[in-house]
Amino acid sequence: MNTITAQLQQWLRRGLATTRKDMFAIQVIVALLLSVLCSDLLGLDYPGWAALSSFAVMNTAIKASALRACHRIAGTLVGGGLALLAAPYLSQNPAFLVVFCAVIGGIAVWRAGVSSWSYSWVLGGVTAMMVMAEAQKTSDIRPLFSFTFSRIEEVVLGCAICVLVTILFYPLNRGSLHPHQAENQPKPTSRLLLPLQAAVALLVVTPILLVFQMTGFWQAMVSVLALFVLPPSAQPVQVQINQRMQQRFAGCLAATLLSLLLLPLLHHSAVFYIITLIAGVWLGCHLQQGKPSFSYFGRQFTVAWIIVFIQDTLWLTEPVQAVMRCASILMAIAIIALVMLVFRSLNIPA
């Protein structure tokens, strides 16, 4: 009798786990599609930013989603404002952009490592670098202001829709706990060498992006900051970074290769694009909700899938542009690995 009861309990736990995965995936897909649809209806220029924002702040708990949304919006506003203030004096200066990215990136990693507003520092750093990179194309402040405002609009839209969808799904999610919503997290600790390593990586990555005019500039910047901003953990820093690099690289590469196999079969059909987008996001969300050691892989797979299938012109994905965006992420990870190797060879601990 005890054996039967134990078996029933195990089946029930598995069933509940599967249901939570399905609900999270459905919630992400609904928010993502609404973000893209609203961005298109409002005539905004970068629907991918809204889609990524809705996915990035998604959580089954309303408070967690709302807090992360506030952090993302605040960081975007401050980073964009900072870059706009500096742009009139420092536009069309690639050498300055390289130094700017290294300094801003290093500061963002430093503050993110010790602040409860960690996510805001990352988004602020990325947005400032994006706007300053755009400033290299023109000395006119008007298109630069338009670009920054578009960035803010898309982020606010994606975050607002994410929170709204989380509220609508709350009755179905009640009693479940998202794997990333952990209780009693240890306080952040200062890791002084990580900002230096991030700055060095950006000093190498930024010129490469500029010389080859890679379209995934901002995603490469995100990769550098995201890999060096580590959650509190008992694991050694080197182990954490290695695991995140491997999973981010593998997730991005898997999504890129799979998408390249499927893109020729879609024949620029909006229906087929949407079905393929949903299928990939569903898979990524299930992987993210799986084993903790595999969760980061699933998240990076989903991010890369969104980058490939939601471009500036909806449902007309250009394979070359998709490859370039993902290639910039992979290149950034390779540079980070090289920087870590150099630091280790010099016996500088992480």
Side-chain angles (χ1 to χ4, degrees):
M1 185 65 180
N2 290 336
T3 303
I4 296 175
T5 302
Q7 188 67 47
L8 288 173
Q9 290 176 341
Q10 186 177 5
W11 286 343
L12 180 61
R13 284 195 295 269
R14 288 178 179 175
L16 289 173
T18 301
T19 301
R20 284 195 292 269
K21 289 180 183 180
D22 292 337
M23 290 306 304
F24 180 72
I26 293 171
Q27 189 171 322
V28 168
I29 290 167
V30 170
L32 189 147
L33 292 179
L34 283 176
S35 298
V36 173
L37 176 62
C38 291
S39 176
D40 190 47
L41 290 175
L42 292 172
L44 304 183
D45 297 323
Y46 304 97
W49 290 348
L52 281 171
S53 294
S54 68
F55 170 70
V57 303
M58 180 59 72
N59 195 294
T60 52
I62 297 173
K63 181 180 179 181
S65 278
L67 183 62
R68 195 165 173 83
C70 289
H71 284 195
R72 189 176 183 95
I73 293 170
T76 302
L77 284 168
V78 173
L82 172 66
L84 281 177
L85 290 174
Y89 309 100
L90 302 164
S91 61
Q92 295 184 306
N93 189 336
F96 167 78
L97 177 63
V98 174
V99 176
F100 180 87
C101 288
V103 173
I104 291 296
I107 292 174
V109 170
W110 167 53
R111 293 304 305 161
V114 298
S115 171
S116 58
W117 285 71
S118 173
Y119 194 48
S120 292
W121 282 100
V122 173
L123 264 296
V126 169
T127 301
M129 287 186 277
M130 288 172 61
V131 174
M132 197 55 67
E134 194 70 15
Q136 305 312 306
K137 302 176 183 178
T138 178
S139 58
D140 189 348
I141 193 64
R142 287 172 295 181
L144 193 60
F145 180 85
S146 177
F147 174 84
T148 306
F149 191 69
S150 294
R151 166 74 176 170
I152 294 170
E153 283 181 318
E154 299 280 12
V155 169
V156 171
L157 175 64
C159 290
I161 289 177
C162 173
V163 174
L164 175 61
V165 170
T166 305
I167 293 172
L168 294 176
F169 274 73
Y170 176 71
L172 300 174
N173 287 322
R174 190 180 301 171
S176 67
L177 181 67
H178 191 285
H180 295 279
Q181 181 194 345
E183 300 290 339
N184 300 321
Q185 282 277 13
K187 293 182 179 180
T189 56
S190 177
R191 293 158 171 167
L192 296 179
L193 196 61
L194 294 181
L196 175 60
Q197 293 170 328
V200 172
L202 288 168
L203 278 174
V204 180
V205 169
T206 307
I208 296 175
L209 293 171
L210 289 174
V211 169
F212 292 99
Q213 299 183 343
M214 300 179 76
T215 57
F217 184 94
W218 57 280
Q219 272 299 322
M221 301 297 104
V222 170
S223 295
V224 174
L225 299 191
L227 289 174
F228 282 108
V229 178
L230 304 176
S233 173
Q235 286 185 312
V237 169
Q238 184 66 52
V239 173
Q240 282 184 274
I241 293 180
N242 286 344
Q243 289 178 350
R244 289 165 74 88
M245 279 196 304
Q246 292 167 8
Q247 293 194 32
R248 192 175 184 92
F249 188 92
C252 180
L253 183 62
T256 303
L257 294 178
L258 181 57
S259 65
L260 288 178
L261 292 174
L262 295 175
L263 284 173
L265 306 177
L266 302 181
H267 303 295
H268 294 290
S269 167
V271 174
F272 290 153
Y273 269 106
I274 294 172
I275 292 173
T276 306
L277 170 66
I278 291 174
V281 172
W282 183 281
L283 173 61
C285 288
H286 269 258
L287 293 171
Q288 182 181 338
Q289 298 290 297
K291 296 180 180 179
S293 60
F294 210 59
S295 176
Y296 196 65
F297 169 87
R299 187 171 183 83
Q300 301 315 311
F301 178 93
T302 309
V303 168
W305 197 260
I306 293 172
I307 290 172
V308 169
F309 283 93
I310 303 181
Q311 297 183 13
D312 299 342
T313 303
L314 292 180
W315 324 132
L316 292 176
T317 300
E318 294 295 334
V320 174
Q321 189 177 27
V323 170
M324 289 295 288
R325 288 184 174 190
C326 292
S328 67
I329 299 176
L330 300 178
M331 183 271 294
I333 297 171
I335 295 298
I336 293 170
L338 179 62
V339 169
M340 298 297 292
L341 181 63
V342 170
F343 271 74
R344 194 161 58 247
S345 67
L346 295 174
N347 294 320
I348 303 176

